[in-house]
Amino acid sequence: MSSLAKASSRAEEDEVEDLVARLAATEEALAEEVRRSRALNRIAEAIGAGHDAETLVQTVVDGGVELTGAQFGAFFYKVVDEVGESFMLYSLSGAPRSAFEAFPMPRSTAVFAPTFNGEGVVRSDDITQDPRHGRNPPHHGMPEGHLPVRSYLAVPVITRQGAVLGGLFFGHPQPARFGTRAESLAVGLAAQAAVAIESVRTHEAAHAELVQRRVAEERLKFALESGRLGSWELDVETRAYLASDICKANYGRGPDDDFGFADLVASVHPDDRQRMTTAIEDAIRHGADYDIEYRVCTPGGDVRWVQARGRAAQTADHGGARRMAGVSLDVTERKRAEERQKLLVNELNHRVKNTLVSVQSIASQTLRTTDTPAAFRDAFEGRIMALSHTHDLLTQQNWEGASLREIFDFELEAFAARDRIVFDYARDVQLSPKATVALGMAIHELATNALKYGALSVPGGAVGVAWGPEPEEGSDGARLRLTWTERGGPPVVPPSRHGFGARLLEKGLAGELSAQVALAYDSLGLVCTMRLPIRALEP
Amino acid sequence: MKTLAALKVLVVEDEALVSMLVEDMLSDLGCIVVGPAAELEEALRLASGADIDAALLDVNLGGRPIFPVADALKERGVPFAFASGYGEAGLSEGHKGATVLQKPFREADLRKVLEGLAAQIA
């Protein structure tokens, strides 16, 4: 082979080699293109598939890493809180999430600002050499332990309306890895991601609203049911009336009973009907609040109180109201409670007034039967305290009365000679409040008298209290016989002046309880015998 | 027209302390007390048959309203007044407008009411 031929053959060989190399390069470029277009397809599919935001963003970041040839990729979404704007890591590719956990959220530093603010792409062959890098305390650059980023590409993700949703960040430990092609791919990806994220968010928001509405509706239904609130609606023109089951129940109707507007009006108590229809007309014509309480006659014959509230919805085009809606509530219990309370207040007032008259009476009579202010005060206070003790006892018993023994115990509680009063009875007797008050005062008078003038005024004296059924019935039925017998005291003589105690016992008690009361001034001691008709004592 | 002296007044009152007070007041005014009746039956008996010029009625007699007694007195033309802790609110429809002595009352109040009643006596 000639040298020429040799030379020619070498040139051919070079050309072939060159061709092979170019072919390989083309093939590689083609393979790269195929890879990229597959990645793009995957992203497009993911966007189209309607995944949740997290899956979608993860696909975008993974695809972005593949498309740009990055080692790491991340999507940070923008959060605005009271501290200011910052980015929060959302999806990460090419590195474990723990690689970021130690660091605070990126702030709007010189490097990040263009991305945060949506100003444009930041692409650097070596971010560590970038003049914007390392200017902010405390880290002055990447915090220690940060992923080893030199090649850096950051693209803001912006909606069509110009709102910055976040940013796509790509990095590589080697310098100069991202060219213009990578940049334009990332920009395209960011635009697609923005549309997709927005659409997912809109969808999620709509779904959340729907769920919220359902929850609210359930809550309303629950509230209506647990509050026994009925709901109703009235067509103003046709007078078609629609009532919920509870609403019907408030008027004594079952869920399947017909209950129209005419039925409603007819069920209202005749005395309240005019008031009710006037209120409805007022609400329809003038937009007044409909809030009324009226009596209802149920088909079962009950009378109940119902509160109805509502409002007419005004329509501009119709020149008035078209429909009226509201709630109804059975307020019978409340009404009864109000009536009871009114009665109670009246009763209380009556009792207070009566008590004042009692005090007036005690004062007046004590004044008539005492000689000195000191004696008046002593007797008056004792009687007021006796009255007070009886009231305490009755209050403790809910004003239902008390037993005879309880009355004695209460009246004699602070009585020094209490242990010299000996009881003898087989069965305690329950008394009405009226009898309790009357006997309370009587016992006080007997005890005070015994202490001052009778058996309890000397050391050896004692009092026997006994009660039991009277052997012979009187004209007014069974009687209780109660005796107060004083022994061991000074000899007694009938008093020259008729005192308050004797008068209360012989006349007052006798009148009030239809009793027969006898005071015997026995030389051995005072004996008081009361014959009390049981029917006047019983609660 | 009569004066209070020796005026025969029926007292219907079921509380001993109150009726004792009224008795004292009436005696001081020179009146003669008839009763006092603490029970409705007794009150009705006295209202329809006893020799009385006027009456003072407690509205509530042991939980029973006094109005049948008032009706009996009206029938006989005997003037009367109610004594009540409820005031006029405690009166039945038929007796609205009747004289009411609000408890508690002074002797002077009772005198005024009685003078009003005495003036109605022919």
Side-chain angles (χ1 to χ4, degrees):
Chain A
M1 196 185 279
S2 70
S3 62
L4 187 65
K6 269 183 189 165
S8 158
S9 145
R10 194 171 296 130
E12 274 171 20
E13 270 172 29
D14 284 351
E15 205 172 321
V16 170
E17 261 174 41
D18 187 39
L19 271 172
V20 168
R22 275 165 59 196
L23 189 64
T26 311
E27 272 175 356
E28 201 179 315
L30 191 65
E32 178 66 20
E33 208 54 39
V34 168
R35 202 162 51 81
R36 281 179 178 164
S37 91
R38 276 189 187 148
L40 278 171
N41 267 338
R42 261 205 315 283
I43 293 164
E45 267 171 33
I47 290 170
H51 290 302
D52 59 284
E54 203 171 328
T55 314
L56 178 86
V57 172
Q58 188 64 54
T59 312
V60 167
V61 174
D62 289 345
V65 166
E66 204 172 337
L67 287 173
T68 57
Q71 186 101 40
F72 323 109
F75 174 77
F76 284 81
Y77 73 89
K78 187 168 171 175
V79 280
V80 181
D81 57 21
E82 59 272 20
V83 184
E85 290 183 346
S86 68
F87 277 21
M88 192 172 253
L89 180 63
Y90 200 82
S91 288
L92 189 64
S93 186
R97 217 176 168 79
S98 58
F100 277 90
E101 268 168 6
F103 309 120
M105 288 187 286
R107 292 162 304 135
S108 196
T109 56
V111 169
F112 291 126
T115 318
F116 274 128
N117 302 337
E119 284 157 13
V121 178
V122 177
R123 180 164 64 87
S124 170
D125 281 344
D126 188 347
I127 193 69
T128 59
Q129 302 305 308
D130 193 281
R132 289 170 294 195
H133 183 259
R135 293 192 6 207
N136 295 76
H139 301 298
H140 295 283
M142 278 177 272
E144 202 167 318
H146 195 278
L147 289 169
V149 174
R150 295 190 74 182
S151 292
Y152 176 83
L153 177 60
V155 190
V157 176
I158 310 170
T159 67
R160 277 166 298 179
Q161 287 76 35
V164 180
L165 296 174
L168 277 168
F169 296 82
F170 300 103
H172 200 285
Q174 303 292 318
R177 295 298 293 228
F178 303 132
T180 50
R181 182 155 173 77
E183 181 178 327
S184 62
L185 279 167
V187 169
L189 195 60
Q192 265 186 302
V195 172
I197 289 170
E198 218 184 1
S199 110
V200 166
R201 281 194 179 172
T202 309
H203 178 75
E204 281 177 348
H207 183 70
E209 197 182 317
L210 196 70
V211 168
Q212 214 169 7
R213 266 192 209 170
R214 263 188 213 144
V215 169
E217 226 164 84
E218 278 298 311
R219 209 178 284 148
L220 180 65
K221 194 164 169 259
F222 178 75
L224 285 173
E225 278 172 11
S226 55
R228 301 298 300 154
L229 267 175
S231 60
W232 53 268
E233 220 179 301
L234 174 69
D235 187 307
V236 166
E237 221 163 275
T238 65
R239 297 278 148 152
Y241 183 73
L242 202 68
S244 73
D245 291 352
I246 293 174
C247 187
K248 286 182 183 180
N250 286 342
Y251 296 85
R253 262 64 170 197
D256 300 324
D257 292 349
D258 284 335
F259 190 57
F261 189 67
D263 300 316
L264 168 72
V265 174
S267 74
V268 176
H269 192 284
D271 292 351
D272 297 344
R273 203 173 290 151
Q274 181 68 45
R275 198 162 51 85
M276 179 254 195
T277 49
T278 308
I280 287 193
E281 291 310 320
D282 246 28
I284 291 169
R285 279 210 206 105
H286 312 301
D289 270 345
Y290 177 62
D291 188 349
I292 189 172
E293 288 175 0
Y294 49 68
R295 281 162 295 175
V296 161
C297 305
T298 69
D302 295 345
V303 175
R304 288 181 198 172
W305 277 94
V306 168
Q307 181 185 21
R309 298 183 67 170
R311 188 177 282 179
Q314 301 291 325
T315 47
D317 59 315
H318 201 255
R322 189 177 292 159
R323 54 186 281 277
M324 195 175 160
V327 291
S328 69
L329 180 63
D330 184 335
V331 292
T332 313
E333 276 308 307
R334 168 162 68 71
K335 278 282 175 189
R336 294 211 175 122
E338 280 172 9
E339 278 160 27
R340 269 198 300 275
Q341 193 176 12
K342 211 171 148 192
L343 274 176
L344 267 175
V345 169
N346 278 341
E347 186 52 36
L348 179 69
N349 185 43
H350 181 235
R351 275 191 195 164
V352 168
K353 291 286 168 66
N354 261 349
T355 304
L356 286 173
V357 184
S358 298
V359 172
Q360 186 189 9
S361 176
I362 290 170
S364 162
Q365 292 180 75
T366 307
L367 198 59
R368 282 166 195 263
T369 51
T370 49
D371 300 319
T372 64
F376 168 79
R377 184 182 164 160
D378 187 42
F380 182 68
E381 280 177 348
R383 285 164 185 160
I384 297 297
M385 289 319 289
L387 198 61
S388 171
H389 285 149
T390 315
H391 278 233
D392 285 346
L393 175 60
L394 285 171
T395 304
Q396 188 182 302
Q397 309 279 341
N398 208 17
W399 278 84
E400 281 161 5
S403 84
L404 194 49
R405 181 58 200 259
E406 282 171 333
I407 301 169
F408 270 102
D409 287 347
F410 253 74
E411 291 302 338
L412 302 176
E413 200 191 343
F415 205 68
R418 190 168 45 152
D419 52 344
R420 286 194 277 148
I421 299 174
V422 182
F423 290 89
D424 175 20
Y425 59 91
R427 199 172 59 85
D428 204 359
V429 186
Q430 200 62 30
L431 306 181
S432 69
K434 186 171 142 67
T436 301
V437 172
L439 278 168
M441 190 52 82
I443 290 165
H444 168 79
E445 291 304 321
L446 283 169
T448 308
N449 184 70
L451 195 65
K452 270 188 163 173
Y453 315 107
L456 301 178
S457 68
V458 292
V463 177
V465 175
W467 66 78
E470 175 94 338
E472 272 176 60
E473 275 199 10
S475 59
D476 43 7
R479 283 167 173 258
L480 182 82
R481 183 195 177 114
L482 171 66
T483 54
W484 170 280
T485 311
E486 298 186 18
R487 287 293 178 257
V492 289
V493 285
S496 54
R497 187 167 64 176
H498 212 58
F500 170 73
R503 186 182 177 198
L504 181 86
L505 285 160
E506 287 181 320
K507 290 193 77 183
L509 199 62
E512 187 165 347
L513 299 178
S514 307
Q516 289 170 4
V517 181
L519 288 171
Y521 300 93
D522 195 305
S523 59
L524 293 170
L526 175 78
V527 178
C528 176
T529 309
M530 304 180 199
R531 292 180 177 82
L532 304 148
I534 295 289
R535 59 166 182 83
L537 301 178
E538 275 173 345
Chain B
M1 172 92 189
K2 276 198 150 196
T3 61
L4 298 193
L7 191 75
K8 292 184 280 292
V9 183
L10 167 64
V11 176
V12 181
E13 171 60 61
D14 69 337
E15 277 188 53
L17 283 172
V18 182
S19 68
M20 285 156 84
L21 177 72
V22 174
E23 276 182 86
D24 286 348
M25 285 183 177
L26 287 172
S27 300
D28 288 350
L29 292 170
C31 302
I32 297 163
V33 176
V34 181
E39 289 204 310
L40 194 63
E41 288 71 21
E42 172 77 352
L44 268 173
R45 194 178 61 75
L46 293 172
S48 0
D51 177 16
I52 48 174
D53 299 314
L56 193 62
L57 311 175
D58 179 18
V59 169
N60 193 317
L61 216 56
R64 295 156 82 189
I66 193 71
F67 306 117
V69 177
D71 293 337
L73 291 167
K74 224 176 191 174
E75 187 107 324
R76 275 181 74 187
V78 175
F80 60 88
F82 292 107
S84 167
Y86 294 108
E88 199 156 339
L91 297 188
S92 72
E93 279 303 317
H95 292 286
K96 284 261 152 56
T99 308
V100 178
L101 191 59
Q102 166 80 53
K103 284 180 184 173
F105 50 83
R106 291 167 297 188
E107 194 173 288
D109 300 322
L110 179 62
R111 175 202 290 274
K112 220 168 141 190
V113 165
L114 286 174
E115 281 169 353
L117 297 181
Q120 295 173 40
I121 300 167

